[in-house]
């Protein structure tokens, strides 16, 4: 299941980024042949120049094998979308983003920051400066790397014997094999780790299995989180190995029930205070907005929640392209919105549910009715969210509804009666 989830995440991200690039990048589909006449009246073809690139970035789509040596020379940041293999067989000095349906192989030096996505494997066989490599297969580093690497793989990440990485390596994958030299630290989450090479600084990972050849393979600190029994005390007495305990507790234990009762009481108090302060007009306004914009509320709530991964990746990508002044504040606002609404989802949805029930079915009014009614709604929603099998779906519905309610309340106007 974990592997399938990683693959699906990779595919979804890949498709959304491609779609985005199709919208924002205007590509020159054909090479324009310009000619100049020399002093003798002869016609000569111009060499490809950067002024022939149309659009914000140097973007190109290939349905056959892509070789950088056969491409035009450009100093612009580039996007390459390739349906086959990608081979970088000429020196690259500008930053770029590469998507390949098959493998990516680097045979000549690549400078600057590089982001690579492959539905197969990625192999670095030449000097490389820094980058983010994501593959639905193996990632192999067999060269010198100047700075940090972020490696995400559904296969095995291998640092070969001849490889030297002069920065840190951040890894997410099924397995990591360190045969070469890492001047920085190894940090990440993986299923297995094997070290026969050398790490100059720290090893800080979460893993199921760990094999270290000798007590000279790691010069820095070792911190390992695991659910299995990993014992490396004979090689590294100072290593910290934290074995996580799996505790099976009933969702309906007394501690959980008491916590939900306390939370429901607090939410009830907040509801009463807001109602009194606004004379009930705040909730009436929100209900009226939702009645006239129900479809918008559902769609906006769904998009806000389910598009977290591609939106965050897109903002990170634009930050990487030098737009951090705009994207970082947007990222902070987006994260804050999702987190705060997620924390208050029961309160947001429960308050409007009680308001609707009260207006439609309850004839009595007063503070006692509000206290009892709102408390029951909050407590029932909390109980339903932990019911086995269906609790996850109910939580998802609450999150979507809460995001839609808040977004609609902020950006939609109340229609005049």
């Amino acid at each position: 299941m974990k592997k399938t989830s990683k693959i699906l995440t990779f595919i979804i991200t890949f498709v959304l980024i491609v779609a985005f690039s199709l919208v924002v990048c205007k590509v020159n589909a054909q090479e324009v042949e310009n000619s100049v006449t020399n002093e003798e009246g002869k016609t000569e073809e111009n060499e490809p120049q950067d002024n022939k690139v149309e659009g914000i970035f140097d973007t190109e789509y290939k349905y056959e094998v892509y070789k950088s040596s056969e491409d035009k020379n450009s100093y612009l940041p580039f996007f390459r979308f390739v349906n086959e293999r990608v081979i970088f067989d000429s020196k690259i000095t500008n930053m770029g983003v590469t998507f390949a349906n098959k493998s990516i192989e680097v045979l000549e030096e690549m400078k600057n920051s590089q982001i690579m996505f492959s539905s197969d494997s990625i192999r670095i066989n030449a000097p490389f400066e820094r980058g983010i490599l994501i593959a639905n297969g193996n990632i192999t580093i067999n060269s010198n790397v100047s700075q940090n690497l972020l490696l995400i793989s559904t296969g095995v990440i291998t640092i070969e014997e001849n490889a030297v990485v002069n920065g840190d390596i951040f890894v997410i994958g099924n397995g990591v094999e360190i045969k070469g030299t890492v001047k920085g630290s190894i940090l990440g989450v993986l299923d297995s780790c094997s070290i026969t090479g050398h790490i100059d600084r720290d090893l800080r990972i979460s893993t199921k299995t760990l094999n270290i050849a000798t007590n000279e393979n790691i010069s820095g600190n070792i911190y390992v989180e695991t659910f299995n029994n990993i014992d490396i005390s004979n090689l590294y007495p100072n290593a910290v190995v934290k074995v996580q305990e799996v505790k099976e507790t009933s969702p309906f234990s007394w501690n959980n029930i008491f916590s939900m009762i306390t939370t429901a009481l607090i939410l009830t108090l907040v509801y009463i205070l807001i109602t009194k302060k606004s004379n009930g007009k705040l909730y009436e306004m929100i209900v009226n907005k939702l009645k006239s914009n129900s479809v918008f509320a559902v769609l906006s709530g769904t998009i806000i929640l389910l598009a977290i991964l591609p939106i965050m990746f897109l903002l990170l990508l634009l930050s990487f392209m030098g737009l951090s002044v705009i994207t970082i504040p947007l990222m902070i606002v987006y994260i804050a919105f999702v987190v705060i609404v997620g924390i208050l989802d029961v309160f947001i949805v429960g308050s409007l549910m009680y308001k609707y029930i009260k207006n439609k079915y309850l004839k009595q009014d007063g503070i006692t009715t509000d206290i009892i009614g709102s408390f029951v709604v909050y407590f029932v929603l909390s109980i339903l969210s932990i019911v086995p099998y269906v609790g996850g779906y109910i939580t998802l519905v609450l999150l979507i509804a809460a995001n839609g309610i808040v977004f609609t309340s902020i950006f939609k106007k109340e229609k005049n009666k």
Side-chain angles (χ1 to χ4, degrees):
M1 289 294 292
K2 287 184 178 180
K3 187 170 183 178
T4 303
S5 177
K6 290 178 182 178
I7 294 172
L8 288 174
T9 300
F10 175 84
I11 293 172
I12 292 170
T13 305
F14 182 91
V15 171
L16 288 170
I17 295 299
V18 170
F20 172 75
S21 297
L22 286 170
V23 174
V24 300
C25 298
K26 188 177 180 181
V27 184
N28 186 13
Q30 298 179 344
E31 289 291 336
V32 181
E33 295 182 356
N34 292 333
S35 60
V36 294
T37 303
N38 59 17
E39 294 179 355
E40 298 177 357
K42 295 181 180 179
T43 300
E44 298 178 352
E45 289 188 353
N46 283 338
E47 294 295 324
Q49 300 292 329
D50 279 312
N51 57 16
K52 288 189 177 182
V53 176
E54 293 185 4
I56 300 173
F57 305 110
D58 174 11
T59 307
E60 189 170 341
Y61 302 84
K62 288 279 188 179
Y63 289 94
E64 64 273 5
V65 174
Y66 171 84
K67 292 185 177 181
S68 61
S69 59
E70 299 174 354
D71 201 358
K72 58 182 174 292
N73 295 321
S74 174
Y75 55 78
L76 294 173
F78 65 85
F79 284 82
R80 293 293 179 266
F81 301 91
V82 183
N83 192 49
E84 286 286 334
R85 292 186 301 127
V86 171
I87 302 173
F88 289 102
D89 56 350
S90 62
K91 185 176 181 180
I92 304 295
T93 58
N94 43 329
M95 71 173 64
V97 181
T98 304
F99 297 86
N101 194 39
K102 295 186 178 178
S103 63
I104 299 176
E105 188 170 7
V106 177
L107 301 178
E108 292 292 338
E109 182 180 9
M110 294 193 78
K111 289 185 172 293
N112 222 312
S113 299
Q114 304 296 329
I115 299 179
M116 296 181 179
F117 298 84
S118 171
S119 294
D120 195 340
S121 61
I122 299 177
R123 188 175 184 89
I124 310 297
N125 286 326
F128 197 81
E129 188 164 351
R130 61 180 176 271
I132 300 172
L133 311 182
I134 303 175
N136 187 23
N138 298 333
I139 297 178
T140 304
I141 310 295
N142 191 29
S143 65
N144 288 348
V145 178
S146 303
Q147 298 183 38
N148 300 335
L149 289 173
L150 170 59
L151 307 177
I152 302 175
S153 168
T154 60
V156 178
I157 298 169
T158 305
I159 309 299
E160 295 285 8
E161 294 178 1
N162 297 326
V164 178
V165 179
N166 291 286
D168 297 327
I169 301 179
F170 305 89
V171 293
I172 300 175
N174 283 338
V176 171
E177 295 181 2
I178 308 297
K179 302 177 182 178
T181 302
V182 179
K183 298 290 186 181
S185 301
I186 301 286
L187 310 100
V189 180
L190 44 125
D191 285 345
S192 64
C193 182
S194 174
I195 302 172
T196 56
H198 193 269
I199 300 173
D200 285 5
R201 290 187 178 174
D202 296 356
L203 175 69
R204 297 178 178 271
I205 58 174
S206 173
T207 184
K208 293 179 180 178
T209 62
L210 173 61
N211 296 308
I212 305 175
T214 69
N215 59 1
E216 297 180 354
N217 292 114
I218 303 171
S219 298
N221 300 311
I222 299 176
Y223 177 84
V224 179
E225 291 183 356
T226 182
F227 287 98
N228 298 329
N229 184 21
I230 295 177
D231 186 7
I232 54 174
S233 58
N234 59 327
L235 297 177
Y236 297 92
N238 297 324
V240 177
V241 178
K242 285 196 172 182
V243 180
Q244 307 292 321
E245 294 183 7
V246 181
K247 296 182 178 178
E248 295 184 3
T249 58
S250 171
F252 297 103
S253 65
W254 167 245
N255 289 336
N256 286 343
I257 297 297
F258 181 76
S259 176
M260 286 186 285
I261 291 173
T262 304
T263 302
L265 287 172
I266 294 172
L267 296 181
T268 300
L269 176 62
V270 174
Y271 173 80
I272 297 299
L273 291 174
I274 292 175
T275 301
K276 292 300 180 184
K277 274 289 184 181
S278 64
N279 293 322
K281 294 180 180 179
L282 175 63
Y283 290 115
E284 289 289 349
M285 178 195 69
I286 296 174
V287 169
N288 291 334
K289 285 186 177 182
L290 291 175
K291 284 181 180 178
S292 55
N293 299 284
S294 56
V295 176
F296 177 83
V298 174
L299 289 177
S300 61
T302 304
I303 292 171
I304 289 170
L305 185 64
L306 300 184
I308 290 176
L309 178 63
I311 289 175
M312 294 306 298
F313 183 85
L314 178 59
L315 292 174
L316 287 171
L317 182 61
L318 293 175
S319 299
F320 174 82
M321 292 297 179
L323 299 175
S324 58
V325 175
I326 299 172
T327 57
I328 296 300
L330 286 175
M331 200 179 305
I332 293 172
V333 171
Y334 182 74
I335 292 173
F337 180 87
V338 173
V339 170
I340 293 172
V341 173
I343 293 172
L344 298 175
D345 58 349
V346 171
F347 175 72
I348 295 168
V349 178
S351 298
L352 294 182
M353 283 182 64
Y354 171 67
K355 187 66 178 177
Y356 175 80
I357 293 170
K358 179 182 176 181
N359 292 342
K360 194 169 183 67
Y361 300 106
L362 299 181
K363 296 181 180 180
Q364 294 182 347
D365 196 5
I367 191 168
T368 303
T369 303
D370 287 343
I371 291 174
I372 296 173
S374 58
F375 172 81
V376 170
V377 172
Y378 297 137
F379 183 69
V380 169
L381 288 178
S382 300
I383 288 289
L384 290 175
S385 64
I386 65 170
V387 173
Y389 304 110
V390 299
Y393 296 104
I394 292 173
T395 300
L396 180 61
V397 171
L398 287 174
L399 288 171
I400 291 174
N403 279 283
I405 290 168
V406 175
F407 196 80
T408 303
S409 301
I410 294 173
F411 294 101
K412 285 293 184 179
K413 292 182 179 180
E414 186 178 5
K415 290 187 178 180
N416 295 326
K417 296 181 180 180

